[in-house]
Amino acid sequence: MITVGYYAAAEDAAGTARERLHTDATTIGELAREVCERHGEPLASIVTVSSFLIGEETTRDPLASIDGVSVIDILPPFAGG
């Protein structure tokens, strides 16, 4: 079970700020594919340019491990920062 947080445009596209998912994903890339399939194209176009917050580390590496992680936040590019 993993909690995915969606921020800014990702929240609008997903229709929720947070959701809990049962997943077998072990990498960011696998999880990204899963949430894109779940929510469709509006979210997929945002996820492809987003960063992922795992604990206190931000990554864009699709091979980054999420083993043992309970919360991941999807952070689309923000204006001004």
Side-chain angles (χ1 to χ4, degrees), residues 2-81:
I2 193 164
T3 299
V4 179
Y6 301 96
Y7 289 85
E11 179 181 350
D12 292 339
T16 186
R18 289 191 144 347
E19 67 181 337
R20 292 180 53 88
L21 301 175
H22 290 282
T23 183
D24 293 325
T26 59
T27 66
I28 284 291
E30 291 171 356
L31 182 67
R33 277 190 298 279
E34 191 172 318
V35 297
C36 289
E37 289 172 2
R38 182 179 180 90
H39 293 287
E41 176 51 37
L43 183 62
S45 64
I46 294 165
V47 167
T48 61
V49 296
S50 294
S51 299
F52 299 85
L53 183 64
I54 306 170
E56 295 182 13
E57 299 291 322
T58 303
T59 187
R60 289 181 182 217
D61 180 1
L63 299 177
S65 175
I66 60 170
D67 283 339
V69 174
S70 61
V71 178
I72 293 179
D73 294 323
I74 298 176
L75 309 172
F78 294 91

